């Protein structure tokens, strides 16, 4: 019984932790959307824009990855 | 090498596909025990992520020798085709890519780190795509010793199927049942398990193979009694794992005599396991021979992608961040420290206090970069490898789209890690004297350079 409650708590906690991925998703969407618009307007600078886009996406993704790591730690380490 | 492969590769692919189906049907996948730290091999110190990273190093060294040998010596020599051309193309592309970011001055320093990190991370990520990584490994009796009481507590696991002599697979139809659970099992459940060819815990004892019987008279190692119970139990568990490892036959004979003890007389008796001498009884359960229904088995994979181990990613992140500081000191001298401890404008400017705070935030940011580097790579690749084997478990025949996904995730994460290193190194070389004139423009130097490049085209 105790273990079952603990497992349920872990599952709920891991699920709640992944709410943090929401922000990362929105951020990546905005970044890539803006970058694609910029590239469509000015294709000559695609490579520069792409570099900056990958950088921004990596930063935005990092937050979501923190949420993922917290969730993985809750599930498999705790 | 002269064999003409054209038109025959498709048949090889078809054969591999059919072989995949056959393997899937004969050895159905079992969802593995997921563990964040690298699993330790039965030899006690080697983790499977370390083993995989040794393979990565060997591959990189071979790559270095190969490209060195294949490089055209004179300007007249026509370059060798094939893989060398591919590598040269990628190398030149990345070289131009980094030059766009950093400029010429510290290009060699930055690019050497960029390319090294890129190749290491790329191979570390792609290792998870090889079939058998994460799924083929040592058999291990899944037991956990309680540090307080020394009692061994067996956890969940699966019974074994013999695929080939000496090769075993976990049986997904037969999750392991503890003696306590079998004691209260209903007749219907027992019959159902019997029909699945699973042990029911009380009706039969599967005897070990011939090789194990030889060690039957051998008494239990006295280590378990004399030393602290916990250490003995751990040693026993690893010995048992070595003894029953099918693939490595060389180790088997030596280890069997120590670990493989058969207790034929003892029927799996739940009461005895619970009350009478619990420690002794359960120790024997851990020592039980292959196929014993009383022992839950799981797999310690031989190899696991090195990027799924925090040790590897944190080490790379530390190297990247520390060498960034080294380059900063090399480029700016001791003045590099004013980036973090910026007291110059404290008395002259009304906003000097903000500059101090910004400098301290930069210092914190440097440490945050270590964490962010390490966890970004770990999280992506660990989640990817979990995705791969969970998908193989859920959709038996169609995990391949996820392999393609992970192929690209591997490239992108390697590129992101290396690119961020290059960008941070470029940041560290940026002079701060410009800061007084242009405010904080060079905090994002890539953007600044992008603006600089864009202005000519601007109307």
């Amino acid at each position: 019984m105790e273990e079952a409650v603990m497992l349920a708590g872990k599952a709920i906690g891991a699920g709640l932790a992944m709410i943090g991925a929401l922000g990362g998703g929105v951020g990546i969407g905005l970044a890539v959307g803006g970058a694609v618009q910029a590239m469509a307007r000015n294709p000559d600078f695609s490579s520069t824009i792409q570099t900056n886009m990958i950088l921004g996406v990596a930063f935005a993704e990092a937050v979501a990855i923190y949420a993922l790591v917290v969730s993985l730690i809750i599930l498999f380490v705790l | 090498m002269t064999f003409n492969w054209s038109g025959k590769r498709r048949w090889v692919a078809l054969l591999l596909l059919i072989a995949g189906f056959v393997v899937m049907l004969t050895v159905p996948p079992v969802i593995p025990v997921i563990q964040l730290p690298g699993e330790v091999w039965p030899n006690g110190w080697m983790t499977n992520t370390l083993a995989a990273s040794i393979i990565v190093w060997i591959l990189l060294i071979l790559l270095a020798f190969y490209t060195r040998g294949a490089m055209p010596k004179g300007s007249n020599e026509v370059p060798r085709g094939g893989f060398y051309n591919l590598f040269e193309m990628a190398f030149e592309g990345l070289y131009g890519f980094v030059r766009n970011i950093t400029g010429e001055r510290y290009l060699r320093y930055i690019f050497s780190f960029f390319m090294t990190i890129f190749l290491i991370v790329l191979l570390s990520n792609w290792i998870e795509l090889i079939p058998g990584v994460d799924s083929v490994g040592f058999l291990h009796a899944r037991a956990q010793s309680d540090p307080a009481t020394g009692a061994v507590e067996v956890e969940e696991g699966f019974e074994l199927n013999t695929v080939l002599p000496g090769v075993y697979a976990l049986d997904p139809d037969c999750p392991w049942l503890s003696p306590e659970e079998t004691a209260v099992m209903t007749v219907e459940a027992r019959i159902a398990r019997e029909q699945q060819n699973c042990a029911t815990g009380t009706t039969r004892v599967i005897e070990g193979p011939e090789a194990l019987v030889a060690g039957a008279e051998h008494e239990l190692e006295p280590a378990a009694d004399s030393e602290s119970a916990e250490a003995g139990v751990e040693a026993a568990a690893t010995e048992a794992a070595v003894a029953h490892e099918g693939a490595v036959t060389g180790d088997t004979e030596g280890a069997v005599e120590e670990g493989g003890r058969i207790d034929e007389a003892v029927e799996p008796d739940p009461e005895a396991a619970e009350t009478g001498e619990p420690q002794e009884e359960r120790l024997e359960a851990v020592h039980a021979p292959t196929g014993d229904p009383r022992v839950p088995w799981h797999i310690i994979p031989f190899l696991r992608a090195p990027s799924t181990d925090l040790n590897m990613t944190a080490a790379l992140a530390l190297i990247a961040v520390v060498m960034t500081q080294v380059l900063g000191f090399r480029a700016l001298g001791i003045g590099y420290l004013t980036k973090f401890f910026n007291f110059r404008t404290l008395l002259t400017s009304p906003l000097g206090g903000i500059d101090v705070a910004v400098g301290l935030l930069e210092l914190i940011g440097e440490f945050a970069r270590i964490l962010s580097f390490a966890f970004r790579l770990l999280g992506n690749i660990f989640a990817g490898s979990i995705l791969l084997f969970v998908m193989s478990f859920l959709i038996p025949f169609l995990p391949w789209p996820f392999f393609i996904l992970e192929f690209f995730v591997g490239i992108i994460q390697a590129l992101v890690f290396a690119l961020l290193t290059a960008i941070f190194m470029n940041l560290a070389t940026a002079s701060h004297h410009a800061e007084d004139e242009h405010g904080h423009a060079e905090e994002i130097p890539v953007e600044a350079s992008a603006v600089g490049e864009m202005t000519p085209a601007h109307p």
Side-chain angles (χ1 to χ4, degrees), chain B residues 146-308:
Chain B
D146 189 351
T149 61
V152 187
E153 202 172 311
V154 274
E155 296 178 354
E156 78 268 35
F158 290 90
E159 292 175 14
L160 291 181
N161 271 340
T162 308
V163 181
L164 295 169
V167 180
Y168 303 95
L170 300 185
D171 191 343
D173 296 327
C174 302
W176 179 78
L177 291 177
S178 67
E180 292 86 353
E181 282 169 323
T182 52
V184 297
M185 200 158 61
T186 61
V187 179
E188 289 82 18
R190 192 157 291 168
I191 290 171
R193 266 179 84 80
E194 196 67 65
Q195 280 170 348
Q196 300 269 29
N197 255 338
C198 303
T200 54
T202 52
T203 50
R204 65 199 171 104
V205 176
I206 299 173
E207 290 180 8
E210 296 286 321
L212 291 172
V213 180
E217 301 87 13
H218 210 281
E219 270 304 311
L220 201 64
E221 282 291 302
D225 302 319
S226 58
E227 292 179 18
S228 75
E230 185 192 352
V233 164
E234 275 178 10
T238 50
E239 275 168 19
V242 172
H244 306 312
E245 167 42 40
V248 183
T249 48
D251 290 345
T252 315
E253 279 84 15
V256 158
E257 287 171 19
E258 295 170 5
R261 179 175 183 232
I262 297 179
D263 209 334
E264 291 168 59
V266 175
E267 285 277 338
D269 190 357
E271 277 104 25
E274 255 183 323
T275 55
E277 297 180 351
Q279 186 179 341
E280 191 66 22
E281 181 65 26
R282 290 182 184 186
L283 266 176
E284 282 173 6
V286 175
H287 270 79
T290 306
D292 190 304
R294 291 170 297 168
V295 182
W297 296 97
H298 76 141
I299 289 177
I300 298 175
F302 291 131
L303 298 175
R304 204 175 100 181
S307 316
T308 60

Side-chain angles (χ1 to χ4, degrees), chain B residues 424-436:
Chain B
F424 289 150
M425 283 182 170
N426 189 44
L427 261 177
T429 60
S431 168
H432 295 278
H433 301 301
E435 202 175 32
D436 301 334

